[in-house]
Amino acid sequence: MSQSTLEALGSRAPRAAEFGRDALIVCDNLVRIYQTGSIEVQALQGLDLLVDAGEMVAVVGASGSGKSTLLAVLSGIDAPTAGRVRVGRWDLMAMSASDRVEYRRSMVGFVWQQTSRNLVPYLTAAQNVVQPLAFAGRPRRTRAARAAELLDVVGVGYCANRLPREMSGGEQQRAAIAVALANGPRVVLADEPTGELDTATSQEVFDALRTVNRETGATVVVVTHDPAVSGQVERTVAIRDGRTSSEVLRRRAEAHEDASEIVAEEYAVMDRAGRVQVPREYREALALTRRVRLALEADHVSVWSDGAGGSTSHAGEGRRHA
Ligand code: ADP
Ligand code: MG
């Protein structure tokens, strides 16, 4: 390794020691094991995730991959088995019961998949938003105006005096977002909020979440089973087997003539120990199995299958360590 490479590695070391220092949400090697009888399920298996303040991030993954477990941890409902999790100034591993109540009331808002779980059925949309304001002790005279304002932000001001059963699924979920926003949380967590909705209605709910993100500055983490969502947010994080495995970043292609063109690029996620999951298609295409050969090049790392005929002559060009 050259001197400059060593220096570059050395200068990076202190940053690694403060993983996620500048992020709003830090999940560091999170493990959650559920024990049912003699059966152990590892719902989270060393998950790392950083979310910056003001971001809107989508979390995708197959059923059972750990998405709801992650959101339950971030919302303070569930505690991880091991690892570190911090949201703002709150260390979620070291919260007292009263901290937990305060955290859930002031820092995070939550939207569930089941419309029926988000709204009290015998209260109007406006009364549903007023309820958490009352619990938080907001002055009575300001509550109605605040409820009306929040319902407007998510586009369902016209539903203020309707009961949930007089609203469509999409309207109910948007009202649920207004309820989640009532106490001005810095983070809004939504677990498959569009899971029970058709595509067109899902779009309205996503639009509402984007508006919330833009206009209130709340950081939004939304779980969805719909991979097409990566077209709607700047960053999509994929969870596989309880770990973050890849990210898709969307950004405007500036160099392009058509400045409005959006490019989406997929990245593999490297954990803090340097582990990267090679996608199955790549592994199969090159028969990468238990052992692979790595070589450090000037600006990338090459990976060859172990013992593949064509790779041996090539591997000679890579660096060999005695
Ligand atoms: P997702 O939301 O991505 O579908 P979950 O986080 O709900 O995934 O579940 C992850 C894994 O943990 C699954 O194997 C699930 O069966 C298991 N699991 C979730 N909650 C519990 C629980 N309360 N008790 C036992 N196992 C659970
Ligand atoms: Mg789930």
Side-chain angles (χ1 to χ4, degrees):
M1 229 178 267
S2 72
Q3 189 59 31
S4 62
T5 312
L6 285 173
E7 275 163 12
L9 290 173
S11 68
R12 244 172 260 154
R15 234 179 61 199
E18 301 159 359
F19 179 69
R21 194 190 54 177
D22 300 326
L24 179 67
I25 299 176
V26 181
C27 297
D28 180 359
N29 210 358
L30 273 194
V31 175
R32 176 64 168 106
I33 299 171
Y34 290 112
Q35 186 98 41
T36 22
S38 60
I39 298 170
E40 246 186 24
V41 177
Q42 280 219 23
L44 300 178
Q45 309 190 30
L47 179 136
D48 291 335
L49 176 68
L50 300 179
V51 180
D52 287 334
E55 263 196 293
M56 174 159 170
V57 175
V59 176
V60 301
S63 174
S65 57
K67 305 181 300 293
S68 294
T69 303
L70 170 65
L71 250 59
V73 167
L74 290 178
S75 66
I77 297 170
D78 189 29
T81 310
R84 195 168 66 95
V85 53
R86 177 176 67 72
V87 180
R89 67 182 175 86
W90 302 87
D91 174 355
L92 302 199
M93 296 294 280
M95 280 198 302
S96 67
S98 63
D99 283 348
R100 207 166 278 279
V101 171
E102 176 61 18
Y103 172 77
R104 298 199 56 199
R105 183 148 62 198
S106 65
M107 187 70 185
V108 288
F110 208 92
V111 181
W112 302 93
Q113 172 176 350
Q114 299 87 353
T115 50
S116 57
R117 196 167 167 184
N118 290 315
L119 300 174
V120 180
Y122 53 83
L123 296 181
T124 64
Q127 287 167 339
N128 267 283
V129 184
V130 162
Q131 209 182 29
L133 295 172
F135 283 141
R138 296 280 193 116
R140 190 178 296 271
R141 60 195 156 69
T142 63
R143 293 177 199 161
R146 169 108 181 125
E149 180 197 341
L150 289 171
L151 289 169
D152 271 341
V153 167
V154 292
V156 290
Y158 61 92
C159 293
N161 297 318
R162 294 193 202 169
L163 294 171
R165 66 163 182 274
E166 297 163 341
M167 301 161 64
S168 72
E171 287 165 344
Q172 289 181 47
Q173 289 303 68
R174 284 185 284 161
I177 297 170
V179 173
L181 286 175
N183 289 315
R186 289 187 67 196
V187 178
V188 173
L189 304 167
D191 192 355
E192 307 213 27
T194 63
E196 292 181 350
L197 307 177
D198 60 49
T199 315
T201 316
S202 297
Q203 183 76 44
E204 290 170 5
V205 173
F206 262 97
D207 286 346
L209 285 171
R210 262 206 306 268
T211 305
V212 163
N213 173 246
R214 205 176 47 235
E215 291 187 8
T216 75
T219 303
V220 176
V221 179
V222 53
V223 164
T224 172
H225 59 282
D226 179 9
V229 73
S230 43
Q232 308 226 18
V233 292
E234 272 166 28
R235 184 154 75 106
T236 307
V237 175
I239 296 191
R240 191 174 299 142
D241 300 330
R243 307 174 75 111
T244 40
S245 61
S246 64
E247 293 196 6
V248 175
L249 300 185
R250 267 172 97 251
R251 51 187 178 72
R252 293 194 185 285
E254 309 244 328
H256 255 266
E257 281 177 16
D258 178 6
S260 67
E261 191 182 344
I262 303 287
V263 287
E265 279 184 293
E266 182 162 1
Y267 293 83
V269 172
M270 181 155 70
D271 76 9
R272 296 177 63 195
R275 285 179 287 248
V276 173
Q277 184 171 37
V278 178
R280 180 200 298 243
E281 311 89 81
Y282 294 16
R283 299 198 305 262
E284 288 178 353
L286 296 178
L288 303 176
T289 50
R290 207 174 64 77
R291 265 192 322 226
V292 295
R293 227 186 294 254
L294 295 181
L296 179 61
E297 309 290 349
D299 61 351
H300 68 282
V301 174
S302 303
V303 181
W304 289 276
S305 87
D306 179 30
S311 72
T312 36
S313 60
H314 215 114
E317 296 161 18
R319 284 157 210 259
R320 283 277 180 87
H321 298 280

